[in-house]
Amino acid sequence: MHSESIRYLIVPGWHGSPDDHWQSHWQRSLPNSVRVEQRDWVEPRREPWIAELSHAVEASARPTVVIAHSLGCVTLAHWAQRAPEVLRQRVRGALLVAPA
């Protein structure tokens, strides 16, 4: 699998990730990278966070590598537990940094 065919899905944790955060740097440097944006970064609620992640995975049929940080790792775990198999198969790998 060539890097051009991989979609990188960046999943920030609590309070998101500002411009100088490592996830923002990676998003700018990795081709085909997309960030999951939550409606409320300060008061996270499990169901809306999982729903946003699910929408982001559904948005592309490309093979996806998830790069999650902190509460984003927990969100990914909850998503993976209940997501349909067809969506889970799109995720080819995950980098989990500092799980909450």
Side-chain angles (χ1 to χ4, degrees), residues 35-56:
R35 180 190 308 250
V36 174
E37 291 292 343
Q38 298 294 349
R39 289 188 181 115
D40 189 344
W41 289 109
V42 179
E43 294 184 25
R45 300 189 56 81
R46 180 174 48 193
E47 297 310 317
W49 277 46
I50 293 170
E52 288 299 327
L53 174 56
S54 190
H55 292 311

Side-chain angles (χ1 to χ4, degrees), residues 52-70:
E52 288 299 327
L53 174 56
S54 190
H55 292 311
V57 173
E58 289 178 59
S60 175
R62 288 178 122 167
T64 299
V65 172
V66 177
I67 302 168
H69 178 250
S70 183

